[in-house]
Amino acid sequence: MQRKQIYTTVEKPKDLFKKCFDFTLADAIKEQGIYPFFHPIDENEGPVVSFEGRKVVMAGSNNYLGLTSDPRVKEASIAAIKKYGTSCSGSRYMTGTVTLHIELEEQLADFFEKERCLLFSTGYQTGQGIVPTLAQRGEYIVSDRDNHASLVAASIMAQGAGANLVRYNHNNMDDLERVLQKIPDTAGRLIISDGVFSVSGEIVDLPRLVELAKKYNARIVIDDAHAVGVIGKGGRGTPSEFDLVDEVDLIMGTFSKTFGSLGGYVVGEDKVIDYIKHNASSLIFSASPTPASVAAVLTTLKIIREEPQLGERLVANTDYVRQGLLKAGFTLMPSRTAIVTVLIADQMKTLHFWKRLFEAGVYVNAFIRPGVMPGHEALRTSFMATHEKEHLDKVITEFCTIGKELGVI
Ligand SMILES: Cc1ncc(COP(=O)(O)O)c(C=O)c1O
């Protein structure tokens, strides 16, 4: 008779947390004093912020029109807290809708010249609410390779539920056509792209994208997080910039940049917004934007409408720095928006450059892996309407001094 073999293991089964205990990269960078992330700001005036009591020119914020510190915006938030409290304590679906939400949805639909608007609690959740809700089993998501991480995550979520995800080379419309040609006629397709790409500040080639969407009967979502208040008529963003508002099916964005608050939105056709509203998991199962956040946006939206000179100043400020850095010999990523990204193309040099700028009183964002591909390491700067010339000159001067010392220029 054959004896049953009994297996015994001396070692315990694998610990899921092993990866966490083995993760040393952040500590190694901290030890060298060049860690560029999670530094707490202890006071924020907009163009100048304070880190541990030290004043620094902020050249890395998405507070493009400088409205987060506008007294009118602060007052509106305080008044909303007094009236509605600090939280809605529930999702829009259930007890979490207040009249302010409806008012803002109506005003944003009007501003973006679309039938209807739906608010979400963050821009990240907006993408999660649109993409997996619309692109279902067997249908296709066609995504730019450089889209924001939130759209990537939203697409992977949809893929997990059976949708197909295909990517095209960054802003390359020939490659988009190649990808569209391969999709079976029987499958629905959704093209998703940033309007203004968040790392480089480059603008999508929307006229050609729209042309291809029409030719291949695809629907379009544009994530205009970095475009509102910056480009388009009266700051209405990328579709408006190209006079293509009617041709873009859904425009989404965030309140965490120009709108000076927190939350997200999508605007589009009545029936499509209604479908998202009743099916999007990230809307139905998450608490609604706070009254203070919504009231802030109602006020910043009014300012954007009434004070177009802010957008003009933002463009002039950004252009001033762009020209200064180009003249000094830096390599910049292609952009005419509020983002000026300086290519360094070396991880350690990027971190050292970041630290030297910080010590000299200029805060920028260091983009290293996994945020960008190896060889594309960069310092991303972004500007505000409220920066004064002295702030901008400081940024240019410090970049030039340190750039020369580190052999970047
Ligand atoms: C293009 C883009 N989409 C979406 C988001 C996410 O927005 P939020 O900060 O509101 O979650 C961002 C923010 O970084 C972004 O840059």
Side-chain angles (χ1 to χ4, degrees):
M1 194 180 79
Q2 205 179 348
R3 284 180 61 194
K4 225 181 188 177
Q5 200 170 353
I6 298 168
Y7 291 96
T8 55
T9 49
V10 197
E11 283 184 25
K12 276 201 255 173
K14 188 180 168 190
D15 178 8
L16 182 103
F17 282 1
K18 185 173 180 307
K19 58 178 95 57
C20 313
F21 302 123
D22 290 347
F23 175 68
T24 54
L25 180 65
D27 284 342
I29 296 175
K30 277 181 201 166
E31 264 167 37
Q32 295 182 57
I34 51 173
Y35 183 73
F37 310 119
F38 297 103
H39 289 277
I41 292 172
D42 41 51
E43 216 175 302
N44 189 350
E45 298 161 18
V48 175
V49 301
S50 161
F51 287 94
E52 292 162 1
R54 206 165 57 86
K55 300 267 188 204
V56 171
V57 174
M58 172 50 79
S61 170
N62 300 313
N63 178 19
Y64 295 129
L65 298 185
L67 296 176
T68 61
S69 46
D70 187 294
R72 295 165 291 180
V73 181
K74 290 183 186 175
E75 281 307 319
S77 286
I78 292 165
I81 289 176
K82 284 186 178 158
K83 185 166 178 190
Y84 297 95
T86 51
S87 169
C88 297
S89 313
S91 101
R92 293 290 309 280
Y93 208 58
M94 300 291 179
T95 54
T97 296
V98 296
T99 47
L100 281 183
H101 292 124
I102 308 299
E103 193 183 335
L104 181 57
E105 284 176 342
E106 285 172 2
Q107 291 208 19
L108 285 172
D110 177 64
F111 180 70
F112 289 111
E113 296 164 352
K114 289 286 189 192
E115 281 177 14
R116 203 160 154 196
C117 170
L118 180 63
L119 304 186
F120 286 80
S121 300
T122 64
Y124 195 101
Q125 282 173 268
T126 310
Q128 306 278 310
I130 299 169
V131 180
T133 304
L134 294 179
Q136 299 176 355
R137 180 169 295 283
E139 296 180 318
Y140 280 74
I141 301 156
V142 185
S143 175
D144 187 292
R145 281 193 192 279
D146 279 9
N147 274 342
H148 187 258
S150 56
L151 289 183
V152 175
S155 306
I156 292 171
M157 190 192 257
Q159 204 180 18
N164 300 291
L165 170 60
V166 287
R167 295 187 176 94
Y168 59 95
N169 292 337
H170 170 55
N171 216 4
N172 181 332
M173 296 301 132
D174 292 337
D175 201 45
L176 171 59
E177 176 149 37
R178 180 190 64 79
V179 166
L180 286 169
Q181 272 169 348
K182 289 189 181 160
I183 299 175
D185 284 350
T186 49
R189 64 225 45 200
L190 184 69
I191 302 174
I192 57 175
S193 174
D194 287 6
V196 169
F197 290 90
S198 54
V199 175
S200 62
E202 186 184 358
I203 304 172
V204 64
D205 182 355
L206 195 60
R208 279 218 59 209
L209 190 147
V210 163
E211 203 182 291
L212 290 172
K214 276 192 183 146
K215 185 170 169 190
Y216 293 93
N217 202 23
R219 295 293 186 174
I220 305 172
V221 177
I222 293 295
D223 181 346
D224 238 4
H226 294 276
V228 173
V230 184
I231 57 172
K233 282 184 218 80
R236 283 172 175 76
T238 312
S240 162
E241 174 79 12
F242 292 105
D243 227 344
L244 289 168
V245 172
D246 291 345
E247 280 76 11
V248 173
D249 298 290
L250 293 169
I251 308 168
M252 61 159 282
T254 172
F255 299 140
S256 64
K257 308 194 191 301
T258 293
F259 284 118
S261 185
L262 183 67
Y265 63 90
V266 56
V267 291
E269 212 175 319
D270 186 48
K271 285 298 284 176
V272 181
I273 298 295
D274 199 52
Y275 184 82
I276 297 171
K277 184 172 177 176
H278 292 96
N279 290 280
S281 174
S282 69
L283 178 92
I284 295 170
F285 299 104
S286 184
S288 60
T290 66
S293 309
V294 179
V297 184
L298 277 164
T299 310
T300 53
L301 180 60
K302 189 165 180 289
I303 296 172
I304 294 168
R305 280 183 189 271
E306 291 174 0
E307 299 176 25
Q309 69 275 17
L310 285 174
E312 287 156 21
R313 251 199 96 181
L314 171 67
V315 170
N317 281 352
T318 314
D319 226 44
Y320 183 76
V321 178
R322 186 177 291 119
Q323 294 315 323
L325 295 181
L326 275 174
K327 218 164 105 194
F330 285 101
T331 305
L332 307 184
M333 290 191 182
S335 162
R336 59 179 173 88
T337 56
I339 299 167
V340 179
T341 301
V342 180
L343 190 70
I344 309 293
D346 179 284
Q347 175 153 303
M348 288 316 282
K349 207 175 257 190
T350 301
L351 293 173
H352 281 289
F353 205 138
W354 176 87
K355 187 193 172 205
R356 293 286 309 280
L357 283 170
F358 189 50
E359 285 171 348
V362 176
Y363 189 93
V364 303
N365 290 302
F367 277 22
I368 56 170
R369 273 178 300 155
V372 291
M373 299 285 280
H376 291 85
E377 294 85 359
L379 294 170
R380 177 189 183 276
T381 68
S382 46
F383 297 90
M384 302 178 204
T386 46
H387 273 123
E388 299 294 340
K389 187 170 174 293
E390 60 176 298
H391 303 134
L392 307 175
D393 283 335
K394 171 135 183 95
V395 174
I396 297 170
T397 306
E398 299 302 350
F399 254 96
C400 290
T401 308
I402 300 164
K404 276 180 200 149
E405 280 173 30
L406 294 182
V408 176
I409 49 168

